[in-house]
Amino acid sequence: MKDLKHISKFLSLVLRHKPEEIGIKMDVNGWVNVDELIEKCNARKQKLDFETLEEVVITNDKQRFAFNDEYTMIRANQGHTVNVDLQFEATQPLEYLYHGTVAKFVDEIKVNGLKRMQRLHVHLSKDLDTAIKVGSRRGKPVILKVHASKMYNDGLPFYLSKNGVWLCDEVPAKYIEF
Ligand code: HQG
């Protein structure tokens, strides 16, 4: 399992942030060729074969990665800093969505709202537990409640990634309950 987690972290790096780390090209929709990925990982001493890659994709706790129908291409479902078009469709959100952060960011968020920072989107979840986990990556979590329906009705789009993460371009402060 430890190996799979290590490979998953490496794949997150390559498929979301730094394809150049192994000298691989991503297409405009974030896909990379599976054979090339395996070959280039091995060339960089990250041992990988197709069976292991498939296991990582299937067992991944957050379903971070997806194959195309033919299993010839793979991409990350969300979380990118590289500018790709994941072809999300605008989706009507639930009334409230949640964002986990930490106290040191709150004053700035109160003024500027939630920004996407380095990533392509602001990440939100439908449940508190996920938001608590996300915030806990940085310390004691602070949970923000986002009036998602209100935002949506005011014309701000939401997207739902294949792995159930709610995404939007920004959350102006007036829609956040602190
Ligand atoms: C904060 C992981 C100051 C924001 C997680 C967050 C998630 C502001 C940080 C996914 C701000 C950005 C994404 C503002 C936002 N001023 N700080 N105006 N607006 N922030 O990592 O949401 O395991 O880019 O609160 O579980 O923490 O990698 O976003 O603390 O799902 O799959 O700036 O990454 O998923 O941090 O995490 P991030 P995030 P994986």
Side-chain angles (χ1 to χ4, degrees):
M1 269 330 265
K2 203 170 151 234
D3 266 9
L4 295 186
K5 192 160 182 193
H6 176 84
I7 294 167
S8 163
K9 283 189 182 251
F10 187 73
L11 290 178
S12 283
L13 174 77
V14 169
L15 297 178
R16 288 171 164 179
H17 310 300
K18 287 189 170 179
E20 70 275 13
E21 187 81 10
I22 58 166
I24 200 166
K25 276 249 177 310
M26 221 176 238
D27 75 10
V28 288
N29 304 126
W31 295 104
V32 307
N33 180 280
V34 167
D35 290 339
E36 193 186 347
L37 174 71
I38 291 171
E39 187 189 312
K40 291 193 164 159
C41 279
N42 283 302
R44 300 291 160 115
K45 306 256 182 301
Q46 174 55 68
K47 271 176 59 182
L48 188 64
D49 55 26
F50 181 78
E51 286 67 36
T52 312
L53 182 62
E54 197 180 17
E55 202 179 342
V56 170
V57 173
I58 292 168
T59 61
N60 192 260
D61 57 347
K62 286 194 188 171
Q63 293 294 296
R64 291 178 178 87
F65 315 107
F67 289 110
N68 65 350
D69 290 343
E70 297 79 28
Y71 283 62
T72 51
M73 308 285 269
I74 185 170
R75 72 177 176 185
N77 284 322
Q78 39 68 230
H80 299 71
T81 51
V82 173
N83 190 14
V84 291
D85 176 9
L86 295 173
Q87 299 160 302
F88 290 128
E89 276 176 36
T91 309
Q92 181 166 1
L94 307 171
E95 184 160 16
Y96 299 112
L97 293 171
Y98 301 92
H99 178 86
T101 188
V102 281
K104 67 177 174 188
F105 296 145
V106 168
D107 284 348
E108 205 178 317
I109 295 171
K110 278 185 177 161
V111 177
N112 296 322
L114 282 167
K115 299 284 181 192
R116 57 195 186 85
M117 311 309 271
Q118 305 294 316
R119 300 193 199 248
L120 295 181
H121 298 99
V122 173
H123 284 51
L124 303 168
S125 62
K126 68 173 169 34
D127 60 295
L128 272 169
D129 273 6
T130 304
I132 290 169
K133 277 187 202 142
V134 173
S136 302
R137 286 152 54 235
R138 298 198 159 82
K140 187 166 177 274
V142 172
I143 306 307
L144 310 182
K145 187 170 170 182
V146 172
H147 287 256
S149 285
K150 248 188 210 165
M151 272 177 72
Y152 181 81
N153 292 335
D154 289 347
L156 293 159
F158 282 83
Y159 312 97
L160 180 59
S161 74
K162 212 179 151 189
N163 57 339
V165 179
W166 283 93
L167 305 164
C168 62
D169 302 319
E170 63 165 329
V171 181
K174 65 174 177 179
Y175 298 105
I176 304 172
E177 243 178 72
F178 290 89

